[in-house]
Amino acid sequence: MERGEGVKLSTKGRYGVRAMFDLAQHMGEGPVSLKSISERQGISEHYLEQLIAGLRKAGLVKSVRGAQGGYLLGREPDKIKVGDIIRVLEGPIAPTECVSEEDPECCTKAEYCITRTIWERVRDSIAEVLDSITLETMLEDAQKLESERSLYMYYI
Amino acid sequence: MERGEGVKLSTKGRYGVRAMFDLAQHMGEGPVSLKSISERQGISEHYLEQLIAGLRKAGLVKSVRGAQGGYLLGREPDKIKVGDIIRVLEGPIAPTECVSEEDPECCTKAEYCITRTIWERVRDSIAEVLDSITLETMLEDAQKLESERSLYMYYI
DNA sequence: CGGATATCTTATTAAAATAGTCGGGATTTG
DNA sequence: CAAATCCCGACTATTTTAATAAGATATCCG
């Protein structure tokens, strides 16, 4: 029985966040094609297509078909939380099924179950982090990082 | 592409925590057999055997072979964190590989990577919750729950 | 209009992980 | 010795993951 890495996100969520951040970074430049995202981010274009289909259905991105078409953010970057993206691509945040964010069908022994409270606390702490970060705050972080780096240049 | 439930723990971790808690609840009664744990917890005995083998190698449980043998906690319940159990059974806590708790081989663009900081924060918040709970605190919680329930009995 | 560029949709697939199952060997107790 | 129990390695079915592929539909531009 091989041991993996615990409490994992799949590539869906990671790729999805990167793609959405990419869209945020290219706002105002018109529709961004899947091809350009996949090239910049090093993600398979066809695979990304599947992921973005879900994001579109959820309204997180808008699409423009045809030549010179592509994708745009579905709403302002400060209105898109990382948690929103993760929930669309990976489903409700839930370290175990019995504490799913959305599914009310729970184990019958909920009241007596001590371990359940642990998974609830894990779920809430994950949700809190993911919902505290928006594409807007990510853009700000990137900005900050960039200005720090150019500042550093003077000392070399 | 079907959507599962995001940021999941496997049964390994959940079963492991339940088994360890079961051992904590039966401390002082001598070795606890795998069979009795699997019956009380409703977990396949053979499967549990695999999990507990890992826990034994990590020193979280001690085993007593032969008839009337079984398992005992490897150390005092206040010295066993839920995070310890999860790490043994599911590997280092890491929502993505690039922020593994133990693996220093990281993506080359670590400094510039904005999404990376998100996964680090998720990782740290999960670890903080799991490391704040010990078998001892779980026993206390169970105790509290029990006394609340018996108190409630007076009003019926 | 017609071709190039893109998105949209459905189906298939290879590899890995998950969640077990099975059989037999070693050790201890009564 | 027999029963209980842990110990160990191999096997397997199912699901999930991460793509891949093929073709239909829509739009822009010359």
Side-chain angles (χ1 to χ4, degrees), chain B:
Chain B
M1 193 194 47
E2 257 321 293
R3 200 190 59 163
E5 303 249 339
V7 205
K8 264 249 197 54
L9 227 59
S10 72
T11 55
K12 285 178 211 164
R14 290 189 281 132
Y15 289 179
V17 172
R18 278 162 61 192
M20 290 294 284
F21 182 54
D22 191 287
L23 284 182
Q25 288 188 301
H26 293 88
M27 273 194 338
E29 301 173 19
V32 180
S33 76
L34 211 49
K35 199 180 172 200
S36 69
I37 302 176
S38 79
E39 274 168 7
R40 272 190 300 267
Q41 301 294 330
I43 302 171
S44 150
E45 191 181 338
H46 279 293
Y47 188 44
L48 197 52
E49 201 166 30
Q50 289 178 54
L51 304 185
I52 217 156
L55 295 170
R56 185 175 53 80
K57 276 165 200 156
L60 295 183
V61 302
K62 284 181 293 199
S63 65
V64 179
R65 298 183 70 165
Q68 271 63 58
Y71 295 93
L72 303 161
L73 290 184
R75 45 182 195 257
E76 293 305 301
D78 65 322
K79 296 284 185 296
I80 299 178
K81 296 179 288 189
V82 172
D84 299 333
I85 303 169
I86 298 295
R87 287 186 188 87
V88 167
L89 295 172
E90 310 238 12
I93 292 164
T96 69
E97 258 155 67
C98 66
V99 298
S100 173
E101 277 186 320
E102 73 179 21
D103 212 343
E105 62 97 359
C106 280
C107 66
T108 47
K109 43 188 173 172
E111 284 111 288
Y112 327 114
C113 186
I114 302 294
T115 55
R116 190 175 188 276
T117 62
I118 300 175
W119 315 135
E120 281 175 344
R121 288 172 58 184
V122 171
R123 175 199 63 194
D124 292 343
S125 80
I126 295 171
E128 199 182 310
V129 171
L130 295 182
D131 288 337
S132 74
I133 305 170
T134 67
L135 292 181
E136 178 70 25
T137 62
M138 288 176 73
L139 286 172
E140 284 162 14
D141 288 349
Q143 196 75 45
K144 234 175 282 176
L145 208 64
E146 190 52 45
S147 66
E148 271 166 28
R149 283 180 64 210
S150 57
L151 202 65
Y152 182 66
M153 296 287 277
Y154 287 107
Y155 295 93
I156 295 176

Side-chain angles (χ1 to χ4, degrees), chain A residues 34 49 56 63 66-67 71:
Chain A
L34 212 49
E49 203 166 31
R56 186 175 51 80
S63 65
Y71 294 93

Side-chain angles (χ1 to χ4, degrees), chain A residues 96-100 103-117 119-120, chain B residues 14 18:
Chain A
T96 70
E97 258 155 66
C98 68
V99 298
S100 173
D103 214 341
E105 61 95 2
C106 280
C107 65
T108 48
K109 42 187 176 175
E111 286 111 285
Y112 326 113
C113 185
I114 302 293
T115 55
R116 188 174 190 278
T117 63
W119 315 136
E120 281 174 345
Chain B
R14 290 189 281 132
R18 278 162 61 192

Side-chain angles (χ1 to χ4, degrees), chain A residues 129-143:
Chain A
V129 171
L130 295 181
D131 288 337
S132 74
I133 306 170
T134 66
L135 292 181
E136 178 70 26
T137 61
M138 288 177 73
L139 287 172
E140 285 162 13
D141 288 349
Q143 197 76 44

Side-chain angles (χ1 to χ4, degrees), chain A residues 18-75:
Chain A
R18 277 163 61 191
M20 292 292 285
F21 183 54
D22 192 285
L23 285 182
Q25 288 187 300
H26 293 87
M27 273 194 340
E29 302 173 16
V32 180
S33 77
L34 212 49
K35 197 181 173 199
S36 69
I37 301 176
S38 79
E39 274 168 7
R40 273 191 298 268
Q41 301 295 329
I43 302 172
S44 149
E45 190 180 340
H46 280 294
Y47 187 46
L48 198 52
E49 203 166 31
Q50 290 176 50
L51 304 185
I52 216 157
L55 296 170
R56 186 175 51 80
K57 276 163 201 157
L60 295 184
V61 303
K62 285 181 292 200
S63 65
V64 178
R65 298 183 68 162
Q68 270 65 56
Y71 294 93
L72 302 161
L73 289 184
R75 46 182 194 260

